[in-house]
Amino acid sequence: KHLPSHEYQSGEFVTDNDLVETLNIDKMIEVAKRELQNPYPAHLYFKRPQQMLYLFRSMELQSREYLLQLSKTDVPYRLLRERIKQLKYTTQKELDYFQYYIDFLNNEIDREIHNENHLKEKFFRILNSMFYDGVASPSTLKLKICIEYVYEQIFGRCEEGHQSLQDPMKILEVMYEDYNLRLDSLDFSIVNQARNDFFAQDLKTMTNALKAQREL
């Protein structure tokens, strides 16, 4: 049975004022009485029984087709679910392995960074202490200047291309030992004569310097 709507009549929607009027109880009762006295005709969707039978037959065939498709796809569906389960398990194992490998590499990186910092600290400590004291300290520079002076000015050696300070030091050591051997082989009287000559020359130099000071 078709019941008319109170909000849509004559093809037009009612306005707010019309809705307010429909809230009147007495008016609503009168409309209901008129509908009961003169009801609207019922609309039949099926005019023949064969139409309903055809509809139910179509629904039956459709349901049977669904059941057939379900029976055909049940085994593949179960296999698919099993494959999905296995894939999830395998994927999780691979993820765990990769996570373990990533953690291992991170630990190795941290260890190498720690070793790098330790070696860097040790390098600069040696550079600023032992290396500086042995190469660039004031006492080392004085020793180098002294050795070069003795090597070049006293002994008259002017070779170039020394790789380190040890080369002229070794040569000076050999020359010093050679001079000692020569001095040991000299006659003692000759040594005394040379010493006396040296002292006499030194005394003469001091006397001349004293005379020059008095004259000034």
Side-chain angles (χ1 to χ4, degrees):
K1 181 179 179 180
H2 176 71
L3 296 177
S5 173
H6 295 291
E7 298 182 3
Y8 187 80
Q9 298 175 359
S10 302
E12 296 180 357
F13 285 102
V14 296
T15 61
D16 293 339
N17 294 330
D18 297 330
L19 290 175
V20 173
E21 292 179 358
T22 57
L23 295 178
N24 191 338
I25 301 300
D26 296 335
K27 195 171 184 178
M28 292 176 62
I29 292 174
E30 291 179 2
V31 172
K33 286 181 179 180
R34 288 197 300 267
E35 290 183 356
L36 290 174
Q37 292 175 359
N38 188 17
Y40 290 95
H43 294 277
L44 295 177
Y45 294 96
F46 301 100
K47 297 180 179 180
R48 297 190 306 275
Q50 288 78 6
Q51 293 177 336
M52 293 185 65
L53 292 175
Y54 175 78
L55 177 62
F56 284 112
R57 180 60 178 169
S58 300
M59 294 174 63
E60 181 182 1
L61 292 175
Q62 188 175 16
S63 299
R64 188 184 67 177
E65 183 65 21
Y66 287 155
L67 292 174
L68 289 175
Q69 294 297 329
L70 180 62
S71 63
K72 291 179 181 179
T73 58
D74 182 63
V75 175
Y77 176 71
R78 292 178 182 274
L79 291 176
L80 178 61
R81 292 190 60 181
E82 184 66 25
R83 294 293 186 273
I84 292 174
K85 184 178 179 180
Q86 294 178 359
L87 180 60
K88 288 182 178 180
Y89 176 75
T90 305
T91 304
Q92 186 62 42
K93 287 185 63 177
E94 293 293 332
L95 289 176
D96 294 339
Y97 171 75
F98 283 121
Q99 186 63 44
Y100 169 78
Y101 194 67
I102 290 172
D103 294 338
F104 174 76
L105 290 179
N106 287 331
N107 292 331
E108 290 295 319
I109 291 172
D110 293 337
R111 185 174 65 85
E112 293 299 329
I113 291 175
H114 175 74
N115 292 337
E116 178 187 1
N117 294 331
H118 176 70
L119 292 176
K120 185 184 295 184
E121 180 183 358
K122 190 173 183 180
F123 169 77
F124 283 108
R125 185 173 67 249
I126 295 174
L127 179 65
N128 296 324
S129 59
M130 297 174 59
F131 183 80
Y132 174 78
D133 294 338
V135 175
S137 63
S139 58
T140 303
L141 294 177
K142 290 179 181 179
L143 177 62
K144 182 178 180 181
I145 293 173
C146 179
I147 292 174
E148 290 179 351
Y149 177 79
V150 172
Y151 185 77
E152 296 178 1
Q153 301 297 327
I154 303 300
F155 292 99
R157 306 295 293 271
C158 299
E159 292 87 352
E160 296 182 357
H162 297 302
Q163 298 296 326
S164 64
L165 193 61
Q166 293 181 355
D167 295 338
M169 290 178 65
K170 290 180 179 179
I171 296 174
L172 289 177
E173 184 179 3
V174 173
M175 295 176 65
Y176 176 75
E177 292 178 355
D178 182 62
Y179 277 110
N180 282 334
L181 291 175
R182 291 182 182 182
L183 290 174
D184 292 340
S185 62
L186 290 176
D187 189 4
F188 187 72
S189 60
I190 298 176
V191 175
N192 288 332
Q193 183 64 36
R195 183 182 61 183
N196 294 331
D197 293 341
F198 176 76
F199 286 158
Q201 184 179 359
D202 191 20
L203 180 61
K204 183 178 179 181
T205 302
M206 293 177 63
T207 302
N208 293 332
L210 182 61
K211 289 181 179 180
Q213 184 179 4
R214 289 177 179 178
E215 291 178 359
L216 294 175

